[in-house]
Each structure stands twice: as structure tokens, then as C-alpha cells.
Amino acid sequence: MIKFDSVCKYYVSGSETVKAVDNISFCLEEGGYLAISGPSGSGKSTVLSMLGVLNRPTRGKVFIDDIDVYNLVSEQRADFRSDYIGFVFQAFQMIPYLTALENVMLPLAITEAKNKEQTERALEMLEKVGLSHKADKLPNQLSGGEIQRVAIARALINQPPVLLADEPTGNLDSKNADSVMQLLKELNQSGQTVIIVTHEKNIAANARAHIELFDGKIVESRKGVLK
Amino acid sequence: MKLKEIAFNNLKRRKSKMVFLILSIMIGVATIITILNTTEQAQMDIETKLDEFGANIMIVPKSNTLSMSYGGISIPGAQYDVREISESELKNIWTINDNQNLSIVSAKLLGAVDIESESAMMIGANLATEIRLKKWWQFQEGSEIEMVRSEEPSPIDPTRMMTVTAIKDFKPTDIILGSRVAAKFNKNPGSTVNLKYNNTKGNYYVRGVLEETGSQDDSVIFMDLATAQGMLNKDAKITLVEVAALCAGCPVEEMARQINAALPNGQATPIKQVVASKMQTIGQLKNFGLLLGAIILVIGSFIVFTTMMGSVNERTREIGIFRAIGFRRSHIMKIIFLEAAVVCLVAGLSGFILGTLASFGLSGWISESRFTLMVNPLYAGASMVFAVILGILASIYPAKKAADIDPTEALRHI
């Protein structure tokens, strides 16, 4: 279970304090599919980064599997990210000098897994996202949709309980966007917890749970989001 | 995939930058190796030349001198109990512990003879050895001095052969004249000279006349040691021995002490001036090399630092991704250090090779005698280890900066 408990995130800009996230609380059961939507500047990416154990809240607590993640020290948080969180970024951030296979293997570079095991697991993940035939391609040799699929494969290789996706279709055409969303849906149906940030209403509507933010506050929540 | 593969792949991607970095370190290492090799070989060259300069240990018969002074005024010492060195004792010189540093041992008998009713200094010596000892000797035209070499059993260990140098067809009645004595008595190579000592007299053939040396040799008549001993009635006796020791900063004073122990009738004295000037020259060369090396190292470190800082700044997004997917700060530092270490290892090795070749190529400018291609495994290892340590030290701050990148900030760029 993921629990946001009275979480605030404030930034100081000059003499002004910006409330990026203002006292948000919600829960999401394991295996849930949550879409976080809202206009630009509403705080949705900040919420996602706090869920990703990257951004310490100014106030409040974030629990993942009953672990108060910001109570962990820096290196423990890194380990937690490695074990619990899979990230898919909006700009499908690949490491440009690594092939698709190597990009997928990247999270395993800091594990004890042997090279052979890493390769097998990465190929398996690429197979899952339908790109095993492009394993040796560099990112600049792949289309936007393909890169995003590689990013999803990379996010899942450590079999993390939680998959976070920040505007995963933001840079894709509608066909590729549909394909990626279908993949995320299938993953969720197989038990994967998925949380996506989107500003597209139809994507938010298709999620099993949804919260909408405005000025750092939840203005609407529905379907499976527990307070 | 392991961290090292990430580091290698990044290096491959940034080929031109890495080549630049390698070049900058390589040139630094190459310069140091060139200086070290050149300094070392120049030292050897200078030492050889200094050794060629002549004797650096003088052995005279032992005597007890009574030193007298009164009111700060020295009165010449009274010599008593003057002993003589027997020629048979000379082989003891070759038994000293540092005998491997002995190059030339030239025994001499000094005396005054009459030449055409005037006195002149005569030195009896092995003239071939004397010519080897005094490399600066030049002979006037017409002189018949041709050196020949042969292998003979060593007098110390007859089972071992040693190279013996001699003047071709040299006869006991052949002599060499100093330039001044030759001019004074109007003698040339091929002339005959009548020499007299007490009631002994004889005609001697002038095999060679020295060009002016500016030393007392110009006024000396040189003849074969055995002939001189016969003439002066001093069979198997010698007056002094000049010793040239091949020294790479060898213990000349210690060698003199060893010779004193081996020659009870001799008093060996090191000629400190030669040793001191030699050591000073070596010291200056080393200091110059070290100073230049230190300057180059500082520049090299700065280049590594700036290049690695630039690399970290360019890779903020990439490092953000690493951190987001669970890389620890230590993992990021390890990647940066690995990259610096690999680059510096390659630079160290290539710098060593370049420096070795450069010192060989430059040797012709530094010395008349071309140096040998000196591949010093110690320098090879030290170049690589030193370059890697340098690279890692210069990368500490960039690596720390990379590790401190806030993933949230980095992801904000994404």
C-alpha cells in the first residue's frame, strides 16, 4: 500500500514561498492503477517525485509498504528506489551510448546479478514490450514509441512493486501513445501497481483510480483512492 | 552490465574529449619520462666523461710527517720513515671490496734524469695505461702511437681473461716527450735522445711527442716503467699510483680507505674536487628534472580536473537517471573514478612509451654519444600508477559533485 499522509512541499523563491503540494493525503492499494492529473504547475510531478523517493516532503509522511521512506538515510533511499520503484520519464530518458538491451539492464548494474542473467532478464523484458528484435539498437535508432517501451522494460527489470510514469505519452503520437497505455494497462492487470502523471483527460479516465490536482491540492478524487 | 562497462561505454562515446585528456596527461608523463631518462643517461654520460677526466684517487708511499706550526706560521713538515710501494703490492688494489668500480690503475716511478746536460723530470709508467688514463692527450704529427688490444689471463684470477691495451710495437727504449721538453731540446717524433742518470746512460727513441696539455706533463719525459726502474736502480719500486674509479656516485673515500687497508706501504687520498663537482652536477640535473616534473604534474592535474568537471556538468541528466533508478552516491563516484583511472592508465602507458622514445630520439642533441633505448620497467609501472593516482585525486571533487547531484533537480531537466 502507498500512503501519502498530510504531505506538503514548499519551495522558497526569493521572498515568496511556493506551495507546490499543499497538505495532500491519499492511499493506494497494492496493484492499483492511479492517474494523477492537473494543469501545469498543479504539483503532479512533485507528487510523483515524492512517490519516487526522490524529493523529501517539507511536511508529512510517505509510506510505501508501511515503510516511512523519508525516514531512510540517503543510501537506503537509493536502495529502496532500486528495489521498489520503476521510473518511466516523459522525455523517455535513455542513456544514449547504451543499446536498448543495455539500457534495460542498467538497473541491474548495481546488483549482484551476473552478466548472463542480466542479459536473459533484459531480453525477457524487451520481449514483454515487443522489442526483443531491437535489442542491439541505440536509442537514436529507435522511434519515440519504441524508446518509451524500452523505458518501461527498464523500469520493470528489477520487478519493482511500484511503476511510476511521468507523462509517458507526452511526446508520442496517438498511435504510439495508445500502444504504451495499453502496455501499462496490461501490466496493471497482471498485478503491477502503476501510477501515472498525465494531463490528458482520456488517459486519466481510463485509470482505475484518479486524483486531480490544482495549486497543489486535490480537487477531485475518485475510484479506488482511499483517504 | 557492471559499472565499469558504463564507464567504458561513456569513454567510447566521448572519444575526442578522452583523446584530448589522454594527450594532455600523456604529454605530461612523456615529458617526465623524457627528463628522467635523459637526466639519468646524461648523468651516466657526465660520469663517464668525468671518469675520463683522469684519476680520482692518488696513492703515494706512506710516510710519517711531523706537522709543526708556531704562532700560526706553518713550518714545512719533516718527513721521516718514508716507505716505498713495491710493484708486487699493486695487485692488492684489485682485491678491495669495491674493485668493480676500479677502472685504471697507473703505477709510476718518478725521477730526474739528465738530457743533454740538463735535468728533466722523467716518469716511468705503463705508457698504454697512461694514455688510457689521460684521454685528453693528443700526439703531434709523426708520432707512432697505435693502440692494440689483446686478451690475457687476469693477474688476480688467471682463470678469467681480461682486455689488455698496449702501444703497438712499443720497445723498452721508446719514450714519449712532453711538448715543452721536446721543443726545448728540439726533438720530434723519430728523434733519438740521450738520457743519463748517475752513471747509467743510453739512447732512447722518441715514439711520440705530446701536444701541449697545459699541465706539468708538458715538461716530462715518459718512458716504460721497467726501463725507468732499471735506470733509476729502483727495481720493482714505484713512487705513486694514480687510480681512476668509475663512479656513479661511488664511494671514492670508502675506496681510498679500502686501498689503504690493502696497501700497508701506501697512502691513498681521494681527489675530492672531482667527486664534489660530479655530485653537484648530478644534483643539479636531478633538481631540474624534479622541478619541471612537478610543474607538469600540476598542469596535468588541472586538465584532468577541468575535463572531469565538464564531463560531470554535461551528464547531469544522465546522473539524475542513474540516481532515480537506484544508483547510490558511491556508485556514481565509482563510475567517475573508473573513467578517470582508465584514461590516466592509458595516458600513463602511452606517455611512458612516448617519453622513452623521445629521450632516445633527443639523445643525439644532448650527448655526442647516442644513448641506448632504455626501457625501465620501474618507470613503466610508476608512470601508470602515478597517472592513475593523479587522475583519481584530480577527480575527487568532480566525482563528489556528481554524487551530490540532486536527482529531483536533474529530473526537472527531463
Side-chain angles (χ1 to χ4, degrees):
Chain A
M1 178 188 272
I2 294 169
K3 185 179 176 188
F4 248 51
D5 185 8
S6 306
V7 172
C8 301
K9 182 69 186 181
Y10 303 152
Y11 295 105
V12 177
S13 175
S15 58
E16 196 182 346
T17 300
V18 179
K19 294 180 177 179
V21 172
D22 190 11
N23 199 27
I24 284 180
S25 297
F26 69 87
C27 291
L28 183 70
E29 291 292 345
E30 189 179 333
Y33 186 178
L34 171 68
I36 303 171
S37 66
S40 290
S42 61
K44 53 188 189 299
S45 288
T46 305
V47 168
L48 197 76
S49 65
M50 287 193 285
L51 280 168
V53 199
L54 289 169
N55 197 359
R56 181 183 290 278
T58 310
R59 213 168 54 219
K61 289 183 182 296
V62 177
F63 294 91
I64 298 174
D65 274 4
D66 294 329
I67 297 168
D68 181 355
V69 292
Y70 289 100
N71 208 24
L72 302 173
V73 297
S74 169
E75 300 296 64
Q76 286 175 324
R77 288 202 302 277
D79 293 345
F80 187 90
R81 282 195 295 275
S82 174
D83 295 339
Y84 278 77
I85 311 288
F87 262 109
V88 178
F89 305 105
Q90 179 180 1
F92 24 82
Q93 289 297 322
M94 294 285 104
I95 306 299
Y97 51 88
L98 300 180
T99 63
L101 183 74
E102 289 168 336
N103 263 289
V104 176
M105 285 158 67
L106 198 57
L108 299 177
I110 52 172
T111 67
E112 297 296 317
K114 299 269 185 271
N115 275 352
K116 191 182 171 199
E117 183 194 341
Q118 289 187 21
T119 307
E120 284 170 1
R121 279 170 64 181
L123 279 171
E124 191 184 319
M125 293 315 301
L126 281 174
E127 181 74 42
K128 201 167 180 174
V129 297
L131 282 175
S132 57
H133 62 292
K134 299 213 170 173
D136 58 349
K137 300 287 182 199
L138 288 169
N140 61 9
Q141 297 169 308
L142 299 172
S143 70
E146 287 170 336
I147 291 175
Q148 203 60 310
R149 283 168 174 273
V150 174
I152 292 169
R154 182 177 70 190
L156 295 174
I157 191 147
N158 264 345
Q159 297 169 311
V162 181
L163 179 66
L164 304 177
D166 189 3
E167 302 272 13
T169 59
N171 289 344
L172 301 181
D173 57 34
S174 59
K175 188 183 165 193
N176 276 316
D178 288 347
S179 163
V180 167
M181 289 316 299
Q182 183 59 35
L183 178 61
L184 291 175
K185 192 174 178 183
E186 286 167 13
L187 287 168
N188 176 248
Q189 283 168 350
S190 64
Q192 177 75 51
T193 302
V194 177
I195 300 175
I196 65 168
V197 161
T198 182
H199 63 272
E200 293 178 50
K201 287 201 163 97
N202 60 328
I203 290 175
N206 284 330
R208 287 166 46 209
H210 173 224
I211 56 178
E212 186 167 346
L213 301 177
F214 188 82
D215 279 350
K217 293 181 186 207
I218 296 176
V219 291
E220 188 184 338
S221 64
R222 62 175 173 81
K223 294 196 294 181
V225 178
L226 309 171
K227 288 201 174 174
Chain B
M1 169 173 289
K2 296 292 173 193
L3 293 181
K4 65 175 187 288
E5 284 160 287
I6 296 172
F8 289 153
N9 278 317
N10 180 54
L11 292 179
K12 278 194 273 181
R13 179 179 62 138
R14 297 162 192 270
K15 283 192 189 83
S16 55
K17 271 195 180 166
M18 291 308 121
V19 166
F20 170 72
L21 191 56
I22 286 172
L23 277 176
S24 59
I25 302 289
M26 183 182 80
I27 290 167
V29 172
T31 309
I32 291 168
I33 292 297
T34 306
I35 288 166
L36 286 175
N37 271 345
T38 308
T39 308
E40 198 170 297
Q41 298 218 36
Q43 281 173 17
M44 286 158 60
D45 193 51
I46 286 167
E47 282 164 8
T48 306
K49 283 193 167 67
L50 284 174
D51 287 330
E52 286 173 1
F53 188 68
N56 44 12
I57 296 175
M58 189 76 80
I59 307 169
V60 293
K62 189 173 273 180
S63 66
N64 289 320
T65 304
L66 187 61
S67 177
M68 291 182 285
S69 72
Y70 186 80
I73 297 170
S74 293
I75 298 168
Q79 281 193 336
Y80 60 91
D81 188 23
V82 178
R83 304 177 202 179
E84 287 182 313
I85 302 172
S86 167
E87 204 176 349
S88 59
E89 291 177 74
L90 286 185
K91 63 182 179 187
N92 292 345
I93 295 174
W94 294 95
T95 62
I96 64 168
N97 286 341
D98 288 319
N99 60 4
Q100 73 279 1
N101 287 335
L102 290 172
S103 172
I104 297 169
V105 176
S106 177
K108 295 178 176 67
L109 180 66
L110 274 60
V113 293
D114 291 338
I115 171 170
E116 295 182 4
S117 305
E118 285 193 45
S119 279
M121 181 184 272
M122 183 267 288
I123 292 179
N126 179 326
L127 295 183
T129 305
E130 199 65 9
I131 290 169
R132 278 178 61 219
L133 183 70
K134 294 171 176 174
K135 297 266 185 348
W136 59 92
W137 271 11
Q138 300 285 322
F139 289 93
Q140 290 182 7
E141 204 176 325
S143 298
E144 303 160 55
I145 307 293
E146 187 186 342
M147 306 301 283
V148 288
R149 288 182 166 201
S150 61
E151 295 287 318
E152 288 181 12
S154 163
I156 309 297
D157 179 4
T159 59
R160 290 175 58 189
M161 299 299 282
M162 58 181 282
T163 304
V164 175
T165 311
I167 300 169
K168 190 180 178 184
D169 299 331
F170 193 82
K171 296 182 183 66
T173 53
D174 289 350
I175 59 170
I176 292 170
L177 295 181
S179 60
R180 206 174 300 155
V181 73
K184 185 176 179 183
F185 298 103
N186 197 26
K187 300 297 178 188
N188 296 308
S191 305
T192 302
V193 176
N194 185 269
L195 297 178
K196 184 183 170 194
Y197 178 78
N198 290 343
N199 295 324
T200 312
K201 60 180 177 182
N203 288 330
Y204 295 86
Y205 178 72
V206 180
R207 280 291 291 265
V209 176
L210 293 175
E211 295 279 10
E212 192 172 343
T213 62
S215 71
Q216 60 192 28
D217 289 350
D218 293 340
S219 306
V220 173
I221 301 162
F222 293 92
M223 69 163 59
D224 180 64
L225 178 61
T227 308
Q229 287 167 333
M231 191 173 183
L232 301 179
N233 280 329
K234 293 205 170 184
D235 279 350
K237 296 294 180 191
I238 49 178
T239 314
L240 68 90
V241 185
E242 285 184 303
V243 178
L246 288 170
C247 286
C250 72
V252 175
E253 286 171 326
E254 170 60 18
M255 286 176 72
R257 195 192 62 75
Q258 292 173 13
I259 290 171
N260 279 331
L263 282 183
N265 294 325
Q267 176 70 49
T269 311
I271 302 172
K272 290 180 184 174
Q273 199 174 1
V274 174
V275 181
S277 69
K278 185 187 294 185
M279 296 311 289
Q280 191 183 9
T281 310
I282 293 165
Q284 283 172 345
L285 280 168
K286 274 190 177 163
N287 287 344
F288 172 72
L290 288 174
L291 179 67
L292 200 58
I295 292 168
I296 291 164
L297 280 180
V298 169
I299 296 167
S301 310
F302 185 72
I303 292 171
V304 173
F305 172 79
T306 50
T307 308
M308 295 311 286
M309 277 301 286
S311 174
V312 168
N313 288 335
E314 280 175 20
R315 294 160 71 188
T316 302
R317 293 163 55 158
E318 185 182 314
I319 293 164
I321 295 169
F322 289 148
R323 295 284 280 140
I325 64 175
F327 280 45
R328 290 177 168 199
R329 293 175 75 252
S330 56
H331 293 136
I332 304 295
M333 290 182 81
K334 198 172 173 184
I335 291 171
I336 303 293
F337 284 144
L338 268 170
E339 289 176 10
V342 169
V343 167
C344 291
L345 186 73
V346 174
L349 180 63
S350 48
F352 167 75
I353 293 168
L354 183 68
T356 304
L357 293 175
S359 58
F360 179 64
L362 289 173
S363 61
W365 289 3
I366 294 159
S367 171
E368 290 170 6
S369 54
R370 194 174 180 84
F371 298 154
T372 51
L373 182 62
M374 201 167 75
V375 179
N376 187 332
L378 182 70
Y379 285 171
S383 299
M384 289 185 280
V385 170
F386 204 74
V388 169
I389 291 173
L390 176 82
I392 288 175
L393 285 177
S395 302
I396 289 176
Y397 181 76
K400 192 173 175 309
K401 189 166 183 281
D404 286 345
I405 286 175
D406 180 355
T408 319
E409 282 298 313
L411 290 169
R412 206 169 273 178
H413 295 291
I414 294 172

